Structures are given as structure tokens and as C-alpha cells.
Amino acid sequence: MTAAVNSFGLSLPDYPWEAMAPYLAKASEYPGGAVNLSIGTPVDPTPALIQEALRAAANAPGYPTVHGTVPLREAIAAWFERRRGVSGLDPKDIMPTVGSKELVAWLPLLLGLKPGDVVVRPKVAYPTYDIGATFAGVTSVATDNLEELDEATRSRVRLIWVNSPGNPTGSVRDVESLKALVAQAREIGAVVASDECYAELGWGTWDAQRGGQQVPSVLDPRVAGGSHDGLLAVYSLSKQSNVAGYRAAFVAGDPVIMANLVNSRKHAGMIVPYPVQEAMRVALGDDAHVNAQKDLYRGRRERLLPALQAFGLEIKESDAGLYLWSTAGESTWETVDRLASLGIVVGPGVFYGEAGNGFVRVALTGTDERIDAAVARLASAP
């Protein structure tokens, strides 16, 4: 019986963050405790209007809909037009998801990919793209340019993940870059799924609240060329609205694919609870809390970035998002250990692929007090 029981279960790599335990322990011994800037989990309160919407919808005895309520999907369509420059999106082509991570993990399977098919993901990337390929039994290939692939591999590409702004690098693909990728994908018959959950958090050139450009969506007409065929945009409210605990996200795009995804998810019971759908609807109709939260992150970034540079780290890319992609020109684990000695915990770049070796990811998701503590500790380093 024991042997039979032990034969069950998926063969997946260990969850990488377990390797951080000794560094977290070391940082915790520092006077004043650890400043944990390793994981991008929001720390500021969920805005009151969102909490109130959740409470108001708490009497929900019946099953919610997989496709999402019409008012929610209309709110998402209006948000796309107002905040992302995507007009005319049909609410039928939108669906809420249980956070964006579950969609990333299950999309290759839900798209019907089969062994032999290839999923492309960025060279430095969130590891769940690879896990999704594993779940579907297909091959994952890391590249930022389809031209790097040999013809045999290119011919098997069925899904291309774009992550712009990127996690962990904070890189942003401009309109021309996205447009070229979409054209290549359509030529080979592949779907482009664009993970855009940091799009409201552009800095410098991409800081729309300070006169910069808006981070483009794959559904932007300048990119999509008037058709959403073969395109999916994935978005999460976790970062912009501090609702990571709600698991509030959505996907939109290609009408045929979306209809199939809705049907498949009905069979699988992948449903966002009704109170969360209502909280999403209210959150997406209010821009003020999004701008206020971005102001908090902007201030933290403006304090932390020069402190890291003075410590000896070079900040690469980091044009958007909640992270500073940093290198000291040494191995990732050396930098992780040196910062842990100051009571600062950061994310190892090696968790995001081989190309991340030598880098660390420093999150802006600390309270003002913790960010200021990190700045002071960096300044005190010999």
C-alpha cells in the first residue's frame, strides 16, 4: 500500500523560496528585525471602498458565474478604454480569474496544447510560465526574440508569453516591439498571452501620471491592428488595489479563445466568488486609490534606489513595476548574503532563470518605516 501511495503526485521542482529560510533567519537577527523586500506582496491597507463593496455583497447564497457578472465585465471593458487605450472591447470577451497566477499555470492546458508543442517565455521570468508548460506536458523555451529559435522549434510554438512590465526585471515592451511580436506570432499560428499586471506602475518614461507614456497593452489597436485574434491580455488588481488576498484578476481578448476558456472553466469549476467580483467592479471604477497607491510606491522607489546604488548595486532596466533589478557584479547568493547581514531580505535572481544569475530583485513592497530602515542600514554599511 505504501508503495502505491508514494507513486501518486506530480513531479515538480521544490518551491524555490524555501531556499531563502537561512537568509531570512540571518536577517531576523539584525537589531530592529528583518526588512523583507524579497516578495512583492502588498503591505498597505485595502482601500475602504473595496472593503465596503466586499461586505455589501457578502449575502451570496447562490453559485457565482464563471464568466463573471455583466456589470463586472462592463467595468473591465470601461477600464481598458480609460486606462489602457483599448476601446470597443466586447464584455463577452472578458472573464474574471482566481488571481492571475492560476491562469498562467493552467492556460497551456486550457488552450489544448499537446506534447510536442512549445511555449515561449521571457529569458528572465516568473517561474510559473514553466510550471504551466509542465502541467500541459509541453516544452518551455526561454527567449525574448523568436528569431533566436531554429526553424524546427519555431514551427512548434503555440503559445508566447509576454510579460510587460516584466517581473522581475521591470522591462517594458514598447508599441513597436509588441506589434512586431504579434505579427510573428500570427505568421506561425501562435497565441500571444500578455501578462500585464504591473502596467499601472510605470516610472520615468512610462510614468503616465508624471507626463510619461502609458505602458501599452497587447490589445492596444496600435499593437493588435484592429483585431484581437490570437491575443490575450492578463491583468491582476493585486498590486494596484492591494487586494492580493482577494485573488482578483481577469483575462480578455480573442473572442473564439475566450468563449472556449469560459466553457472549459465552467467544467472545471474555476469561479471567482461573487463578493470578490463585486469588489473588483467597484475597484476598477475608481482611479483615485490607484494613483494614491502609485504615489506611495514612487516615494519608496525614490528613496531606495539611490541607497542601493550607494551600496554598490547597479540598477538594470526597472522601468516599471514593484522591483529594482540589481547586480553587484558577483554571484546572486553573495549579494543575498551581504544584504541579509544588514537585515535586508531580497529575491535571488537565479529563481527567474539562468539569465538571472548575478542579480537580485529588491521589492518596493515594504511599509514606509521598513523602507526607511533599509535605506538607513544600506547607508551604515562599511
Side-chain angles (χ1 to χ4, degrees):
M1 177 62 73
T2 301
V5 170
N6 288 342
S7 67
F8 290 96
L10 296 173
S11 178
L12 298 176
D14 291 336
Y15 196 62
W17 289 97
E18 302 300 330
M20 287 300 296
Y23 300 99
L24 181 58
K26 184 174 186 176
S28 299
E29 295 174 357
Y30 194 88
V35 176
N36 194 340
L37 305 179
S38 65
I39 300 177
T41 186
V43 296
D44 299 304
T46 301
L49 84 163
I50 301 176
Q51 296 187 47
E52 290 164 6
L54 188 76
R55 283 192 291 267
N59 184 19
Y63 289 111
T65 65
V66 168
H67 199 179
T69 67
V70 172
L72 169 58
R73 288 184 277 120
E74 289 176 342
I76 294 171
W79 174 86
F80 262 111
E81 181 166 10
R82 190 176 71 253
R83 303 292 286 194
R84 306 303 313 281
V86 179
S87 60
L89 186 59
D90 192 327
K92 293 197 305 294
D93 304 333
I94 297 169
M95 176 177 55
T97 64
V98 189
S100 59
K101 184 173 183 177
E102 66 93 343
L103 184 74
V104 171
W106 293 110
L107 186 61
L109 182 65
L110 293 174
L111 289 177
L113 270 60
K114 298 176 177 60
D117 291 339
V118 170
V119 173
V120 168
R121 56 88 165 167
K123 282 185 178 178
V124 182
Y126 186 51
T128 308
Y129 302 126
D130 286 339
I131 295 298
T134 299
F135 284 166
V138 300
T139 302
S140 179
V141 173
T143 184
D144 296 318
N145 182 358
L146 295 181
E147 298 297 332
E148 295 178 348
L149 304 180
D150 60 67
E151 188 54 40
T153 302
R154 276 172 57 92
S155 68
R156 295 187 292 121
V157 173
R158 298 283 287 153
L159 172 62
I160 301 166
W161 276 109
V162 177
N163 184 204
S164 175
N167 173 14
T169 64
S171 61
V172 176
R173 281 186 178 261
D174 62 18
V175 167
E176 291 306 314
S177 171
L178 285 173
K179 183 179 179 180
L181 180 63
V182 166
Q184 289 179 314
R186 286 172 170 167
E187 183 179 331
I188 62 176
V191 172
V192 177
S194 181
D195 183 349
E196 302 175 354
C197 70
Y198 296 94
E200 290 276 14
L201 295 169
W203 312 117
T205 300
W206 300 107
D207 192 344
Q209 285 72 36
R210 295 290 178 90
Q213 303 176 53
Q214 189 178 58
V215 173
S217 170
V218 75
L219 302 183
D220 187 309
R222 297 171 296 171
V223 173
S227 167
H228 293 160
D229 291 353
L231 307 179
L232 296 172
V234 181
Y235 198 78
S236 167
L237 275 67
S238 294
K239 315 305 187 205
Q240 71 174 45
S241 298
N242 295 332
V243 290
Y246 287 41
R247 311 313 300 130
F250 52 84
V251 58
D254 183 304
V256 175
I257 294 175
M258 286 302 305
N260 188 273
L261 288 178
V262 171
N263 184 58
S264 298
R265 291 171 71 89
K266 285 179 181 178
H267 284 289
M270 293 177 171
I271 311 173
V272 176
Y274 174 73
V276 174
Q277 292 192 34
E278 275 296 281
M280 290 174 66
R281 179 185 65 78
V282 170
L284 288 165
D286 179 76
D287 296 338
H289 80 274
V290 178
N291 293 334
Q293 185 60 46
K294 182 172 180 177
D295 286 342
L296 285 176
Y297 284 133
R298 185 188 292 104
R300 292 164 186 169
R301 184 178 187 273
E302 289 173 350
R303 301 197 298 280
L304 188 58
L305 190 154
L308 291 169
Q309 291 173 322
F311 179 72
L313 296 181
E314 183 179 1
I315 311 302
K316 298 283 193 176
E317 300 179 270
S318 306
D319 297 318
L322 289 178
Y323 312 108
L324 295 171
W325 187 235
S326 313
T327 180
E330 61 192 7
S331 79
T332 286
W333 294 109
E334 286 182 78
T335 307
V336 168
D337 186 63
R338 288 201 296 124
L339 288 167
S341 297
L342 294 174
I344 301 170
V345 186
V346 296
V350 292
F351 286 1
Y352 304 94
E354 292 180 13
N357 189 24
F359 288 83
V360 295
R361 189 191 76 170
V362 187
L364 306 178
T365 50
T367 62
D368 285 333
E369 182 275 329
R370 289 286 82 186
I371 294 292
D372 290 340
V375 169
R377 293 174 188 189
L378 290 165
S380 72

